[in-house]
Amino acid sequence: MDSQYTGNGTTSDGIASGINSYPSGVPGDTEEPLMVHLLELRNRLAIVLIWLCIGIIIAFPFSAKGMLLIWKEFISSDLYMTAYSPLEWTFARLKLCLVFALATSIPLLFYQLYKFAGKGLYSHEKRFFLKIIPASFLLFILGASIGYFIVLPIMFKYILFFSGDMATAQLSVQDTLSAVTTILAGFGIVFQLPLLVVFAVKMGLIQYQTLKKQRLLVYSIIMAFSLFLSPDPTFIAQILVAFLLGILFEFSLLLIRIF
């Protein structure tokens, strides 16, 4: 006798048919094969990557003016930009464009994650995800602003040129702009920490009480991470990063209680 499909993912003789599915706890949601989820995740991440590239292309025509503005803002106008390779100027512009692209792509990443997991979310979880998207953009701008108005002036005006009377500085365009973009992008990404912590707790990946009890471990990880984030050889930027991460972590715990 031929087997017949029973409608619940198996045939009449009890053999799995490979067809969707068992209902999950969320109304209207059904389980699907792992490969289907992986393909969908790949496609959604590809959208984010494409948008990142588009953001770089959009920002590139304005990057030269942006580099001149940064040079005049943080570096003495008496110093000339120095390029040690033919493509150094172009690579420096691309790195600056990356900061703009990240600012617009990170919220899109959260949105694509929301679309990917949307079918398996309850209504209150969907509302939480929709709150994350604009908050992510604002936090990136806030972090980049702190890097621009606080950290970079300390690095360039008060530290790197402190020995200006002893030696003549010749700064590479790419190395200088790399330091700038690392600080701007790094602080923007670091300020996503509250959203990531709240997301992990809301999704059940970690418990709120565990975070409270493991504060010492969290602060140790923060210190280790901050050492690799900033290119500042004086460690002042690293100390600022660690201090801000500590504040953001405590702010994350407060957000969990609110949401």
Side-chain angles (χ1 to χ4, degrees), residues 165-187:
D165 295 335
M166 303 296 296
T168 301
Q170 288 185 337
L171 301 179
S172 165
V173 173
Q174 184 171 344
D175 291 343
T176 304
L177 268 296
S178 292
V180 172
T181 54
T182 299
I183 292 296
L184 295 181
F187 271 77

Side-chain angles (χ1 to χ4, degrees), residues 22-170:
Y22 299 94
S24 70
V26 179
D29 182 33
T30 54
E31 292 186 1
E32 294 180 338
L34 177 61
M35 287 303 301
V36 174
H37 288 293
L38 292 178
L39 288 174
E40 181 184 359
L41 180 61
R42 182 202 64 180
N43 294 337
R44 295 196 178 280
L45 292 179
I47 293 175
V48 178
L49 182 61
I50 291 172
W51 181 254
L52 182 71
C53 295
I54 292 175
I56 293 176
I57 294 173
I58 293 175
F60 190 79
F62 309 97
S63 59
K65 292 184 178 179
M67 290 176 64
L68 293 175
L69 177 63
I70 291 174
W71 196 272
K72 292 179 180 179
E73 180 72 19
F74 300 115
I75 300 173
S76 174
S77 57
D78 297 331
L79 295 177
Y80 293 98
M81 294 183 180
T82 303
Y84 295 99
S85 66
L87 296 178
E88 185 168 336
W89 174 256
T90 301
F91 285 145
R93 293 177 63 182
L94 288 173
K95 289 181 179 179
L96 189 61
C97 295
L98 181 62
V99 177
F100 169 80
L102 282 175
T104 58
S105 297
I106 290 180
L108 179 62
L109 173 62
F110 279 112
Y111 176 75
Q112 291 299 330
L113 290 177
Y114 162 74
K115 296 294 291 183
F116 173 71
K119 295 180 180 179
L121 298 177
Y122 292 98
S123 57
H124 67 281
E125 293 173 334
K126 291 182 179 180
R127 289 194 298 269
F128 168 73
F129 248 110
L130 293 177
K131 292 178 183 178
I132 281 182
I133 296 171
S136 173
F137 177 75
L138 294 176
L139 285 174
F140 188 96
I141 297 300
L142 177 60
S145 298
I146 290 177
Y148 187 88
F149 292 107
I150 297 178
V151 179
L152 288 177
I154 293 176
M155 284 181 58
F156 285 112
K157 289 187 177 180
Y158 303 109
I159 297 174
L160 297 183
F161 293 104
F162 182 74
S163 59
D165 295 335
M166 303 296 296
T168 301
Q170 288 185 337

